[in-house]
Amino acid sequence: MVEQHRIVVIGTGFAGIGMAVRLKQAGFEDFVVLERAGDVGGTWRDNTYPGCRCDVPSHLYSFSFAPNPDWSSTFSPQPEIEDYLRKVTDAFGVRDHIRFGRTVESADWDGDRWRIRTGEGEFTADVLVSGMGPLAEPAYPKLPGIESFEGPVFHSAEWDHDVDLAGRKVAVIGTGASAIQFVPAIQPEVEELHLFQRTPPWVMPRPDRKITPLERSVFRRFPLAQKAVRAGIYWGRESMVLGFTKLPAIMKQAQKVAERHLAQQVRDPLLRAKVTPDFTLGCKRVLLSDDYYPAVARPNVEVVTDGIAEVTPTGIVTTDGVKHEVDTIIYGTGFRVTDLPVMDLVHGRDGVSLRDAWSDGMEAHLGTAISGFPNFFMLIGPNTGLGHSSMVFMIESQIAYIVDALKTMDANGLKAVEVRRDVQRAFVDGVRASMRNTIWTRGGCTSWYLDAQGRNTTLWPSFTFRFRQLTRRFDPGQYETVAM
Ligand code: N01
């Protein structure tokens, strides 16, 4: 049986849930949200590794329409964020619109509408919205010999809680945002921790603290107080954009804080040299932690900086010929951000896949609409990511744009809209020009922000309020349109 709907949304992370709530509030009732798992939450449901928490303050990292006065600390732990998404789903009455256990296998524009096939049934939609975020598919490095390894192997985003790490000799591969959170959490338990570091990250102090019961009751009774705190965090973070995008020299100053943090927390000069980055702060995502350096300085931790040559049944051999005996391997190797699985699922006009449309790199008008893909909108699309502030703010900007697109279509009797190629080109050229002077381009590093050609197709190179202005109104003049 084929289910027919006006709108199909894919995914129930912040993007899909936010979209569903706003659709409902705007009076669009004929929509479903397809979710592969059994509950909502997206990356905040899947990432259950020990120590997982948000590195953006929760008063900002939440929906503007659903403030939560009950956050327990300034940087919330993962279970609280997952719980928040569940509560928003129920409080705004969108759970009935969600079809759980539906893994999208393909989405094809048939010239008239979208045909979405899942392993468990087919759907059609006039309009398709992707809420499949970029932090959904774990990236597994191809390590020679890994299939011969005898012990458990898992990724931080697919943590195997059945493996008791007590007394184990564990290899952790990667030192990014996830690893710096779970390394301090598992270090006291494991017998040995071999940390395979390809590039040391910059780590800043984490100004986390418990939110007191008094503060929480103030936020409950006076929502404006929480709004004011949120605004303060927003503008504080926004001021960082100058350093990231316009005046990278500022980052050298900010780097001094990270240098001091490192010097205070790592006394051993040899270890300090090993974990000192050789690029400017901000080139890769800036990490926050007060317990990462103390953990790596413990006697049961070895930071391995030689590359991995091969994996044997009982360990990892590095390029210097040393064999590191381990019985467990944990990947903290991040996600497929510029090689999104959605690229192979979605086929637009003339059967062209997103992968083919993006053979020269990911691009979209306002990070949301793609020429060749009528009635398709992508949340957290190309160049909408942030290194300094809350993705929820960007997601809400995109959602408002999509809701306005739907209203405009209704008001003007439009059956289909497809962004004009020249409009997309002009927008993307502007983004690329803005990227030239950013710290991500000039900071002296490679990062997952960049694609295989070295282009930054992931981050938004300006202020987030600028993005909000640009997405405030859907302009049908920028689109090829088909009347009803
Ligand atoms: O992944 P990463 P992550 N051999 O890509 C290394 C979000 N997040 O999961 O730097 C050896 O940052 C790689 O080395 P290098 C946040 O947006 C948010 O930690 O490429 N090493 C790096 O050290 C974040 O940015 C929170 O040289 C290999 C690491 O693995 C994003 O998720 C918390 C390798 C990957 O780091 C991803 O973070 C956690 C190989 N073959 C995550 N391949 C919040 O608090 C990769 N590496 C909101």
Side-chain angles (χ1 to χ4, degrees), residues 44 49 53-56 135 141 143 156 173-179 181 196 198-199 284-285 308 332-335 448:
W44 291 108
Y49 60 78
R53 52 175 58 239
C54 192
D55 58 12
V56 176
L135 303 182
L143 303 179
S156 58
I173 301 175
T175 52
S178 302
Q181 293 184 330
F196 290 83
R198 193 163 64 178
T199 318
K284 282 172 181 281
R285 189 177 171 96
I308 295 171
T333 45
F335 300 87
W448 62 258

Side-chain angles (χ1 to χ4, degrees), residues 9-13 33-42 45-46 98-104 120:
V9 181
I10 308 173
T12 64
V33 188
L34 306 179
E35 169 54 56
R36 62 183 173 181
D39 204 347
V40 303
R45 176 200 58 229
D46 296 341
I98 304 174
R99 304 285 184 271
F100 290 107
R102 303 297 204 288
T103 303
V104 173
E120 306 77 15

Side-chain angles (χ1 to χ4, degrees), residues 349-384:
R349 236 177 342 98
D350 309 320
V352 174
S353 69
L354 260 185
R355 185 172 293 283
D356 287 338
W358 284 349
S359 57
D360 199 26
M362 303 193 294
E363 58 174 69
H365 178 55
L366 299 170
T368 313
I370 303 150
S371 171
F373 294 78
N375 290 7
F376 175 61
F377 298 102
M378 192 167 178
L379 295 164
I380 326 183
N383 292 110
T384 57

Side-chain angles (χ1 to χ4, degrees), residues 140-152:
Y140 285 89
K142 292 186 182 64
L143 303 179
I146 187 69
E147 45 322 308
S148 72
F149 187 69
E150 286 169 355

